[in-house]
Amino acid sequence: MMKKIIAMLLLLAVLMTGMTSAFAAETEGYDGSEVTIKFYTAMGARLTPVLDAYIAEFNALYPNIKIEYTADAGYDDVRDQISTEITVGSQPHLAYCYPDHVALYNLAKAVKTLDDFIDSEAVITRADGTTEILGLTAEQKADFIPGYYAEGQQFGDGLMYTLPLSKSTEVLYYNKTFFDENNLKVPTTWAEMEEVCAAIKAIDPESIPMGYDSSSNWFITMCEQYKSPYTSATGDHFLFNNEVNHGFIKMFRDWYQKGYITTQKLYGAYTSGLFVNTTGTRSYMSIGSSAGATYQRPAANADGSYPFEVGIASIPQVDPANPKVISQGPSLCMFKKDNEQEMYATWLFMKFLTTNIGFQAEFSEASGYVPVLKSVAENEYYADLLAKADGGKHIAFLSVKVCLEQADAYYTSPAFNGSSVARDQVGTLLDTCLTIPEGDVDAAIEDAFLDAIDECEYSVF
């Protein structure tokens, strides 16, 4: 209900403030004017020292651009604050964002598209006398991991609304010690996953072989892997009620009934807790965020060793020759302002953070998120970190290493007003269907899908 109220306010803002009108024609770029840029983030105190260091580096090049940022709010808090500020025209210049946030802001036409900046060949002179073109060079564009960069164009009109800042995905954590001792093969397909779960259940009948943290991600990823409709940014938005999707839901229900799997909602907590258990009911595989690798590692023994070694692999696929893995994590979006120089300055800072190899390397090290540039892996400092990757002390770097190795597999879903509701509904749908009792299972699954579609359509007005 809160999201619906915000959306109504944003539409009202369009009518009252005329934000749909065109902004002034573009000039030749930033002219050195003194400007202050408001930047809303959700990075927290742990990451701000890295940001502070690179703001200082940026200010050495552009001393008249002052960056003021907030860092303590959560992602939803940033979204709600900006949505409120848009209604009175006081939104920031730059913000952390997820695609559904941008779709919400776009109800008021408040987000500045980036295509003109990206393609600009205007030459900007910096304070040290060096120059750069305003836009992105061909090399800079090519350096972005393709799936991360493509997220900025998922809004139905082919225009670029965001640039990726730092990313995460899902990976398969497995108890390597247990797998090695029992000659188990790490599953690369869902068919193999079922076989491995059955083998683990035979070895440890009290176990729940595999936990999956995000039911929403699981459903959406299966749609992508099966090339089955999920949503669309244009036309009919909610397309996920189809036979292919019914099929994989029914398959996973069978697995759940056999005790092979659980989810965060059904388990009642992150399934990493089940995975790191060394006594009682435990799991031997866990699919969760790549940025949460340290939570998938068991507590250390008194001597600093670990009860078992953790392995990390890509998640199973329907077709390993055409892998699909979800792209998550914050991007940056820029907001329209009447002052063109403020927008040029904002773009320069946005470009600086997203294309700076040093920032990407240090931010990844501090956060556990994946850098968005391919070349970061070749950076001497960062390459040394990746070389230390293991399933114990340096598990975070092992996770990042796996993510970089699957750089061509990332996908993003369409973003529109209602896309976040669809995401929530398919997660609830999956959890609901896993627990369907014996009886007319097909009919119960059909009813669950229809209920989810109804909830999604109700959310859009």
Side-chain angles (χ1 to χ4, degrees):
M1 181 61 69
M2 178 58 68
K3 290 181 181 178
K4 199 163 187 177
I5 292 172
I6 289 172
M8 292 176 67
L9 290 172
L10 291 174
L11 285 174
L12 182 62
V14 174
L15 298 175
M16 295 183 65
T17 66
M19 290 185 70
T20 55
S21 61
F23 281 73
E26 304 237 349
T27 59
E28 291 301 314
Y30 177 62
D31 63 8
S33 299
E34 291 190 10
V35 295
T36 298
I37 304 304
K38 290 196 301 181
F39 178 26
Y40 288 2
T41 84
M43 63 178 60
R46 182 167 59 95
L47 299 175
T48 54
V50 178
L51 180 61
D52 288 337
Y54 281 88
I55 287 176
E57 186 174 310
F58 177 76
N59 284 148
L61 302 175
Y62 296 103
N64 288 339
I65 302 176
K66 182 180 180 182
I67 309 296
E68 294 181 351
Y69 68 86
T70 62
D72 296 331
Y75 292 111
D76 288 349
D77 297 322
V78 168
R79 177 202 63 204
D80 293 346
Q81 182 174 351
I82 292 173
S83 298
T84 300
E85 292 178 352
I86 285 173
T87 65
V88 293
S90 63
Q91 66 272 12
H93 297 80
L94 185 66
Y96 263 32
C97 64
Y98 278 81
D100 61 293
H101 299 177
V102 177
L104 183 62
Y105 307 149
N106 275 345
L107 291 176
K109 308 296 184 185
V111 180
K112 178 68 175 175
T113 53
L114 305 176
D115 303 79
D116 288 339
F117 295 106
I118 290 171
D119 296 334
S120 175
E121 296 182 1
V123 177
I124 308 297
T125 301
R126 300 179 289 208
D128 62 359
T130 60
T131 62
E132 64 173 310
I133 66 164
L134 182 67
L136 297 177
T137 66
E139 291 77 16
Q140 286 173 325
K141 292 177 185 177
D143 197 22
F144 282 106
I145 291 174
Y148 297 161
Y149 188 76
E151 183 181 294
Q153 298 171 312
Q154 297 297 308
F155 299 90
D157 58 8
L159 298 177
M160 194 77 170
Y161 285 86
T162 66
L163 284 182
L165 178 69
S166 61
K167 293 296 175 181
S168 64
T169 187
E170 291 180 325
V171 291
L172 171 65
Y173 299 93
Y174 63 97
N175 184 325
K176 188 175 185 303
T177 302
F178 178 85
F179 269 63
D180 289 346
E181 289 173 350
N182 292 280
N183 297 313
L184 295 174
K185 176 188 174 185
V186 179
T188 61
T189 67
W190 293 106
E192 291 176 355
M193 171 63 80
E194 182 176 17
E195 293 172 359
V196 171
C197 285
I200 291 173
K201 198 73 173 173
I203 297 167
D204 181 359
E206 299 303 313
S207 71
I208 303 174
M210 192 272 284
Y212 206 126
D213 270 337
S214 175
S215 301
S216 296
N217 284 358
W218 198 2
F219 186 102
I220 297 166
T221 296
M222 295 308 296
C223 291
E224 194 73 20
Q225 290 188 7
Y226 273 111
K227 301 180 182 179
S228 173
Y230 165 54
T231 58
S232 171
T234 59
D236 292 335
H237 290 309
F238 310 111
L239 310 174
F240 55 82
N241 184 13
N242 59 71
E243 290 303 314
V244 172
N245 297 350
H246 288 207
F248 69 70
I249 284 287
K250 187 175 182 180
M251 176 176 70
F252 293 149
R253 177 206 169 266
D254 290 343
W255 294 8
Y256 181 77
Q257 298 297 321
K258 293 175 181 177
Y260 290 174
I261 60 173
T262 191
T263 66
Q264 179 185 340
K265 182 177 180 180
L266 297 178
Y267 176 58
Y270 284 110
T271 62
S272 56
L274 191 63
F275 180 69
V276 299
N277 280 351
T278 54
T279 59
T281 302
R282 57 196 298 194
S283 70
Y284 296 92
M285 294 178 288
S286 174
I287 294 179
S289 171
S290 61
T294 56
Y295 296 102
Q296 303 279 359
R297 180 181 59 196
N301 298 316
D303 62 0
S305 63
Y306 293 95
F308 62 85
E309 181 182 358
V310 179
I312 305 179
S314 295
I315 67 168
Q317 299 290 321
V318 170
D319 177 9
N322 184 32
K324 297 294 179 182
V325 187
I326 198 166
S327 169
Q328 297 185 294
S331 294
L332 297 178
C333 71
M334 174 180 172
F335 294 92
K336 293 176 180 176
K337 293 289 181 179
D338 290 326
N339 186 326
E340 277 192 342
Q341 288 304 307
E342 291 179 7
M343 290 195 290
Y344 282 121
T346 301
W347 163 255
L348 286 170
F349 183 59
M350 186 180 194
K351 172 187 171 184
F352 178 81
L353 293 183
T354 57
T355 63
N356 188 296
I357 293 173
F359 174 79
Q360 286 289 316
E362 291 187 42
F363 197 81
S364 174
E365 179 185 13
S367 67
Y369 277 73
V370 183
V372 300
L373 304 175
K374 297 179 230 177
S375 60
V376 174
E378 300 165 8
N379 173 268
E380 183 177 354
Y381 172 76
Y382 200 74
D384 182 59
L385 296 177
L386 293 178
K388 298 176 182 177
D390 61 30
K393 181 178 179 181
H394 303 292
I395 192 171
F397 299 122
L398 180 59
S399 177
V400 170
K401 188 174 181 180
V402 170
C403 294
L404 291 172
E405 290 170 350
Q406 60 183 24
D408 293 332
Y410 296 119
Y411 75 88
T412 54
S413 299
F416 54 91
N417 181 34
S419 57
S420 63
V421 176
R423 173 181 168 77
D424 292 342
Q425 285 299 316
V426 298
T428 299
L429 167 64
L430 188 148
D431 286 319
T432 299
C433 289
L434 293 186
T435 60
I436 291 173
E438 293 301 323
D440 193 345
V441 174
D442 290 336
I445 288 175
E446 174 66 22
D447 288 343
F449 270 84
L450 291 173
D451 288 344
I453 292 289
D454 286 345
E455 288 295 325
C456 290
E457 290 179 344
Y458 173 76
S459 72
V460 179
F461 56 91

